[in-house]
Structure formats: C-alpha cells, structure tokens
Amino acid sequence: MDVVYFDPATGFIEAVNDVLDADEAEENIRPGITMLFGSADHRTQYVSGGAVTDRPAVPPMTGTSYDLNQLPAGSSIVVADPEGTETTIAAQDDTLLLIDAGTYHVRSISPFPAIDFASEVTVP
C-alpha cells in the first residue's frame, strides 16, 4: 500500500512510500507532516484539499513576446540575453517583448506549487 507524506501547510509532498499496513505508515510520520493513502509524483503533484492534484504549470515563453500577466502572483521571469546578461522582471500587467536578434534563455521563478519553465527563444 502506498502512502503520501506531505506538509499540510503547503501541500508539498515530502515522500511517497510503499508500506505494509496503516501501522507502518503511522510509524514513519515525522512531526509537522501529514499522510494520506495513495500514490503521487512529488515532481508534478501536491496535496490540496486533502487530495493529490496536479501542480499548475507556468505557461512557457515560446515566441518573442510574453504576457507577464500569465505569471502566478509573486513570480518573475529571468531573461539572459545573447551576451549572458540576466534581467529579472516581476509579474505585472505588461508584455515582455524581445526585439534584438539573438538567442535568449528565459526561465520563470514562481512560488510553490507552480511548475516553472525554462526555454530558449531565438529572435531572427
């Protein structure tokens, strides 16, 4: 039987273990951690409302413009220009537009439970 150990304050999955029975599951609980029976993938899921659910993915930047409104609250975008200089842009009601030719490395930094993206964008 699988058991999911998670932080009840955030839903962050600490571990997923295969145990023999409920007694073994109880023995493995650390202070501040809660459990539920079932399986989960800690990389793509978390616990919300007592159930395992998929973590939301931040929409990736796939073209030369990006609506910064898509970012979760408290997030930012880090853009590395073709020379490697990084610029951090906070989530806001604005659009990021890459206009100078070259290849940019773009990544998001978001609070849990969001799944961040990292992409490469080429401006012709």
Side-chain angles (χ1 to χ4, degrees):
M1 109 180 1
D2 285 337
V3 63
V4 177
Y5 296 97
F6 66 97
D7 180 334
T10 64
F12 179 79
I13 296 172
E14 299 281 337
V16 179
N17 291 345
D18 182 21
V19 296
L20 294 175
D21 54 31
D23 289 337
E24 183 182 2
E26 291 282 343
E27 290 171 9
N28 289 314
I29 292 181
R30 293 186 336 223
I33 299 298
T34 302
M35 70 172 200
L36 61 84
F37 293 102
S39 61
D41 181 343
H42 70 279
R43 295 166 301 206
T44 61
Q45 296 178 312
Y46 73 120
V47 177
S48 178
V52 174
T53 188
D54 290 338
R55 293 171 53 195
V58 177
M61 183 170 184
T62 57
T64 58
S65 67
Y66 188 82
D67 179 0
L68 296 168
N69 239 358
Q70 297 181 85
L71 295 171
S75 299
S76 59
I77 291 277
V78 179
V79 179
D81 66 20
E83 289 76 38
T85 303
E86 288 190 349
T87 303
T88 301
I89 305 158
Q92 56 189 292
D93 188 18
D94 205 352
T95 300
L96 168 64
L97 183 60
L98 303 176
I99 57 173
D100 294 328
T103 300
Y104 295 79
H105 296 277
V106 184
R107 61 187 166 90
S108 62
I109 301 173
S110 305
F112 186 82
I115 298 175
D116 288 311
F117 74 85
S119 59
E120 188 175 274
V121 176
T122 300
V123 178

